[in-house]
Amino acid sequence: MNTLSRRGFIAASAATLSAAAVPSLLLPVRPARADGHKVITAGKRVIEVKGKTANVFGLHQADGTSGLVMNAGENFRVRLKNLIGEPTAIHWHGLTPPWQQDGVAGISQEPIPDDGSHDYDFPVARPGTFWMHSHFGLQEQLMLAAPLIVRDPDEAGQDVQEVVVLFHDFTFRDPQEILAELKAGGHDMSAMAPAPAPAASGHEGHNMPSMAMGSGQTSHGTMDHGAMGGMQMGGGQMAGPAGAMSHLQDVQYDALLANDRTLDDPEVFTVEPGGRVRLRLINGAASTNMWLDLGQLQGKLIAVDGMPVEPVEGQRFEFAVAQRLDIMLELPKQAAAWPILAVQEGGRMRTGVVLAAKGAAVGKLADMADEDFPAVGVELEQKLRATRPLGNKTATRQHTMMLGEGAGYVWTLDGAMHGQDKPLAVASGDRFELTFMNHTTMSHPMHLHGHHFQVVAVNGRRIAGAMRDTVLVPANMGMVTIAFDADNAGNWALHCHHLYHMAGGMMTSMAYAD
């Protein structure tokens, strides 16, 4: 996989520049200071995937640590150094900094030039499982991402082992070529599935039916995003947005990775039989929703997107792009090995890590599941309940945002591509209720910068749901309503976190002053 040229990155990033941004307010690139900032370097590296080498990016400290671990109550005092050979901007996903330090090219700061650096310094109050990733062009597909873990000092000393896993979808192809192919109508049509069924009772994901059509192996077809009355797949037809079918994947991947590795050589974490393990799991994929599969283990989901929820027990959990899952495990007392797997929706491709007692045999793990996994939907979302919800307050502003698509791989919010969009009208102090209504045949992981929101309705049914920063909106007229308080003034991005949908226009912003 080749790195992109400077011209390629700039061209790819054009779709992510905000028409609403005020250039004079963008944070300029500040020279590095010698005052104790932790240095994180955006750099080039080489990994091996299925016996082949690949040139990718990464975010590492001088000692090789990927990303950053800190404590709540500390300042995020980081010097970001750019050595990737191209401009970049890094977003601190899940944190709520002053808007000029949010790391979005064209909205909150100018890109950092190659061999340049930029200092960040702001307080971090909330603990949680967060992450950092490029918000410039298509660099995120090239793995310019890393964990950002904020620990709770009150939990120090607990007898719990932490295991952090960052998942990626990996391709040897140039991401810019992929985007060009998508715009020309080329799609991986391998995974078509019925829209997920409404939430059922019982633990999440038990006895999941195989809902996907096809094995998840790669194939190619064409799709005209303007032909909304129906879509061709071979000799059959897939229903449009009002029908029952979903288009799950539009990018062909060579592998899924867990901490940069495939199941040919997974990372093995040594654990104590009978011990407690906290999994901090990050879906850093560019476009792949996944299922988190604990295999023989039963886990308790205790937080999503870094925000605590009432525990949900299960073995399989829906895991959309950019979301995070914190799962607490009580390991069996026998000395054994337990795989923790992530499987693509609508297919069988998988990756993972292994928890193993000292001396336990770790068997060979296939990189394909035994059966197709269904579409990721909102079954889990409807079960989640925040332990620290928003305070009681009547909404002062409401808006329904239409998610749409058009010919030429155009993805829109309220009928407009980014760059032609009208920013969301917000006023400081608002309790804003925003309803996403999905008129497309794909789901969309919608991410709001600078705020945490509560999911308050799914498909029209009111719930006191989870606090999040990224929520999946189901395909085919799916609806999700979120509520947030406008308490962090600035210019903030709002977008689909499917990288190619965002590059295709599915992004807007909201700006308000104190």
Side-chain angles (χ1 to χ4, degrees):
M1 180 169 58
N2 297 322
T3 56
L4 303 185
S5 66
R6 176 183 176 90
R7 178 179 296 177
F9 269 133
I10 293 174
S13 68
T16 68
L17 297 180
S18 173
V22 181
S24 62
L25 295 181
L26 297 184
L27 192 65
V29 175
R30 299 197 300 252
R33 302 189 303 263
D35 60 357
H37 281 59
K38 290 185 178 179
V39 176
I40 294 177
T41 300
K44 300 176 182 179
R45 59 198 180 103
V46 178
I47 62 172
E48 184 176 295
V49 179
K50 296 185 176 296
K52 296 171 61 178
T53 59
N55 298 310
V56 297
F57 296 143
L59 291 161
H60 292 85
Q61 296 184 50
D63 63 359
T65 300
S66 178
L68 180 67
V69 177
M70 61 180 293
N71 289 320
E74 297 176 351
N75 269 31
F76 184 85
R77 187 170 290 119
V78 167
R79 177 177 306 131
L80 178 65
K81 188 172 184 180
N82 179 17
L83 296 179
I84 66 171
E86 306 291 343
T88 194
I90 303 300
H91 168 55
W92 321 112
H93 189 124
L95 301 190
T96 54
W99 71 275
Q100 299 97 331
Q101 300 192 57
D102 192 45
V104 180
I107 289 184
S108 57
Q109 72 171 77
E110 300 290 353
I112 304 169
D114 181 47
D115 204 27
S117 60
H118 191 81
D119 286 345
Y120 300 84
D121 193 343
F122 56 86
V124 176
R126 292 186 180 96
T129 300
F130 308 120
W131 62 305
M132 56 182 77
H133 61 81
S134 171
H135 223 296
F136 186 77
L138 302 175
Q139 294 170 350
E140 189 183 338
Q141 181 70 85
L142 292 167
M143 300 175 62
L144 191 52
L148 203 178
I149 307 302
V150 182
R151 290 177 174 154
D152 187 342
D154 292 339
E155 296 176 354
Q158 292 185 357
D159 188 17
V160 179
Q161 181 178 349
E162 283 195 354
V163 171
V164 179
V165 186
L166 175 61
F167 297 98
H168 287 288
D169 43 18
F170 174 83
T171 175
F172 285 102
R173 298 185 61 198
D174 184 326
Q176 194 172 352
E177 291 179 359
I178 293 173
L179 181 59
E181 180 182 285
L182 291 169
K183 288 183 176 180
H187 287 264
D188 172 14
M189 300 291 286
S190 61
M192 301 290 217
S201 60
H203 293 322
E204 172 66 15
H206 285 197
N207 303 315
M208 284 194 309
S210 179
M211 298 171 66
M213 298 172 60
S215 66
Q217 302 299 308
T218 56
S219 62
H220 288 280
T222 60
M223 184 170 78
D224 179 2
H225 278 271
M228 298 309 297
M231 297 185 185
Q232 295 292 330
M233 179 182 177
Q237 194 172 51
M238 187 183 84
M245 302 297 285
S246 299
H247 176 214
L248 299 184
Q249 298 156 18
D250 54 7
V251 178
Q252 172 184 334
Y253 287 101
D254 294 294
L256 298 181
L257 305 181
N259 289 349
D260 296 346
R261 297 161 78 165
T262 67
L263 286 175
D264 295 330
D265 180 29
E267 185 168 3
V268 178
F269 294 89
T270 302
V271 295
E272 291 292 330
R276 301 173 68 208
V277 174
R278 179 178 187 148
L279 301 175
R280 293 184 181 267
L281 308 173
I282 304 163
N283 185 345
S287 68
T288 304
N289 295 324
M290 304 179 188
W291 285 87
L292 195 284
D293 185 2
L294 299 177
Q296 300 300 312
L297 297 177
Q298 185 86 353
K300 287 185 179 180
L301 179 65
I302 60 172
V304 295
D305 294 0
M307 309 297 285
V309 294
E310 296 178 7
V312 176
E313 294 189 5
Q315 293 170 298
R316 290 177 173 177
F317 299 89
E318 292 170 314
F319 195 19
V321 168
Q323 291 183 341
R324 285 85 68 208
L325 303 174
D326 282 38
I327 298 174
M328 191 70 73
L329 301 175
E330 304 277 351
L331 295 178
K333 293 184 179 180
Q334 66 264 35
W338 299 278
I340 306 298
L341 302 171
V343 189
Q344 69 178 137
E345 67 170 346
R348 302 184 183 188
M349 187 181 292
R350 68 182 185 179
T351 188
V353 300
V354 178
L355 309 181
K358 187 175 181 180
V362 178
K364 179 70 174 177
L365 294 167
D367 61 4
M368 291 287 174
D370 293 335
E371 62 178 0
D372 294 344
F373 273 55
V376 169
V378 290
E379 181 179 352
L380 175 60
E381 200 65 62
Q382 293 179 89
K383 296 177 182 179
L384 297 175
R385 298 294 181 267
T387 61
R388 301 171 192 166
L390 290 177
N392 290 328
K393 183 179 178 181
T394 301
T396 57
R397 197 178 300 253
Q398 296 176 309
H399 179 71
T400 297
M401 179 171 283
M402 303 299 179
L403 282 53
E405 58 183 316
Y409 207 70
V410 167
W411 299 91
T412 60
L413 296 175
D414 283 340
M417 295 177 63
H418 189 50
Q420 304 168 0
D421 56 303
K422 181 180 179 181
L424 197 63
V426 183
S428 182
D430 273 341
R431 166 65 58 84
F432 201 114
E433 285 204 1
L434 177 61
T435 297
F436 299 108
M437 179 175 286
N438 190 352
H439 289 262
T440 81
T441 54
M442 295 192 74
S443 62
H444 299 284
M446 299 302 298
H447 173 47
L448 175 63
H449 287 226
H451 302 74
H452 293 106
F453 55 73
Q454 186 169 12
V455 179
V456 296
V458 175
N459 291 328
R461 184 173 72 89
R462 300 288 296 191
I463 61 173
M467 297 292 297
R468 281 195 177 275
D469 58 54
T470 308
V471 67
L472 189 71
V473 184
N476 303 319
M477 304 305 291
M479 290 191 302
V480 174
T481 302
I482 65 172
F484 64 91
D485 289 326
D487 56 4
N488 192 14
N491 195 13
W492 301 104
L494 170 63
H495 62 91
C496 175
H497 219 286
H498 183 303
L499 181 62
Y500 299 95
H501 293 177
M502 181 174 69
M506 191 168 271
M507 180 174 179
T508 189
S509 62
M510 67 177 194
Y512 63 96
D514 286 324

